Amino acid sequence: VLKAREEHGEAILGLAGRDVVLNAFIIYDWRELRGTGACDFYVATKGPDGPVEAACVVFHDREFDSIFFCGSREGIRAMLAELRPRKAVLPRVRPEELGAVVEALGSSVGPIYDALLMTCDEASFRPLIRHRVIKLGPEHAELYRALMAGREDRPMRLSLKEAREKLSDPDRPVFAILHEGRIASVAMLYLSMPEVSLVGGVYTVPELRNKGFATSATAAATREALRRSELAALIVRADNKPAVRVYEKVGYRVHERLKWVCVGLDYPP
């Protein structure tokens, strides 16, 4: 297991390119974030100068790492056994890879959730935008801070500066519905590249659910995703039936059934 170098790039992108939707974070992070300190790349090779069998990116978030990998099960097992993450989420594990993950990480593996990777294209997209949806800007930073801090599922405390920076990023636009002076519902783009854009962060405040807000916000984010890319994609917990129904209404279909693996914490999809 080696820290990836420039000469490994072709092999990494070759492995990840076998399923661009599944491996979008690996491809994007190699192209855009490598060398910024936001993430680290590793490869598993057969011998010091052998071919690359597997690759992974470890993205460093506030409280834990997110780990995405591709390649052979033996290579995946070797990388995870070497890395031994203490707090991490492995959001896109194929069922046939789960055994290698558990073997490598043992008792540190926490809850494992069933997840759906879903995709939408121009042909299937239904722009069900029945409310006024705006793209948030830095002028909405206070409202955004209040929304994120008040989330009942995973509250996030942002400084005003952090909120302004998030809402100023043209690559990760946040779409929202405002209702009675606050944000009622949001959806955003996590990343965009020509092949696929990833939609996520869909959330509606509990007392304003079942009004179609999430459908409108998701449709607005998906419309922007398809303006930038050939496909829009998102991941959702398989048993979150209300969310799955929203995404199906907008035009998403299941691309792959996955496992979402937590290590040292419980952070569901």
Side-chain angles (χ1 to χ4, degrees):
V1 176
L2 308 169
K3 203 152 190 182
R5 303 186 298 268
E6 183 69 32
E7 58 264 31
H8 295 126
E10 184 177 349
I12 291 170
L13 294 177
L15 286 172
R18 294 175 183 174
D19 189 332
V20 174
V21 176
L22 179 70
N23 299 317
F25 277 105
I26 298 174
I27 296 168
Y28 180 86
D29 289 357
W30 182 266
R31 291 175 178 170
E32 305 294 336
L33 298 182
R34 179 169 45 97
T36 66
C39 59
D40 293 300
F41 277 86
Y42 299 87
V43 294
T45 66
K46 279 210 168 182
D49 300 309
V52 173
E53 289 203 347
C56 79
V57 59
V58 181
F59 182 84
H60 308 298
D61 212 331
R62 283 176 150 212
E63 298 175 1
F64 58 86
D65 291 333
S66 296
I67 302 177
F68 302 88
F69 47 72
C70 60
S72 73
R73 278 173 284 188
E74 294 76 12
I76 291 166
R77 184 188 300 112
M79 288 187 300
L80 293 176
E82 179 75 18
L83 292 172
R84 284 283 173 184
R86 294 180 59 195
K87 281 190 174 183
V89 173
L90 286 57
R92 301 188 176 207
V93 179
R94 283 177 159 149
E96 61 268 27
E97 298 167 340
L98 184 59
V101 171
V102 173
E103 286 177 26
L105 300 180
S107 60
S108 64
V109 172
I112 299 172
Y113 297 94
D114 291 318
L116 302 177
L117 180 60
M118 306 181 78
T119 57
C120 178
D121 60 18
E122 286 283 3
S124 66
F125 176 52
R126 292 191 288 275
L128 302 176
I129 305 173
R130 294 173 178 146
H131 306 84
R132 182 171 180 262
V133 182
I134 64 169
K135 185 166 80 70
L136 296 182
E139 67 275 17
H140 301 108
E142 285 284 12
L143 291 177
Y144 187 67
R145 283 182 71 205
L147 175 78
M148 299 306 288
R151 287 186 59 155
E152 79 288 352
D153 55 345
R154 50 182 69 165
M156 178 185 294
R157 300 200 177 279
L158 298 170
S159 69
L160 189 59
K161 179 182 178 183
E162 288 172 327
R164 284 173 175 156
E165 287 174 352
K166 280 182 176 290
L167 299 180
S168 299
D169 186 348
D171 296 326
R172 303 183 72 193
V174 180
F175 298 89
I177 295 169
L178 303 184
H179 179 76
E180 297 181 349
R182 60 173 172 161
I183 295 172
S185 188
V186 289
M188 66 178 292
L189 300 191
Y190 284 145
L191 65 82
S192 295
M193 50 190 188
E195 302 92 336
V196 62
S197 285
L198 298 186
V199 174
V202 181
Y203 175 76
T204 302
V205 297
E207 62 269 28
L208 295 174
R209 290 172 184 167
N210 301 312
K211 298 179 182 294
F213 289 163
T215 301
S216 293
T218 301
T222 302
R223 181 176 60 185
E224 178 63 16
L226 292 173
R227 189 185 71 80
R228 299 178 180 216
S229 310
E230 294 176 13
L231 285 174
L234 53 77
I235 195 163
V236 60
R237 186 167 162 172
D239 62 0
N240 187 348
K241 301 303 182 186
V244 172
R245 284 196 294 271
V246 166
Y247 303 147
E248 288 176 339
K249 279 195 294 184
V250 173
Y252 285 87
R253 298 294 178 264
V254 175
H255 175 78
E256 194 160 358
R257 296 179 182 274
L258 301 171
K259 301 295 184 181
W260 173 292
V261 179
C262 301
V263 179
L265 78 168
D266 185 2
Y267 192 86

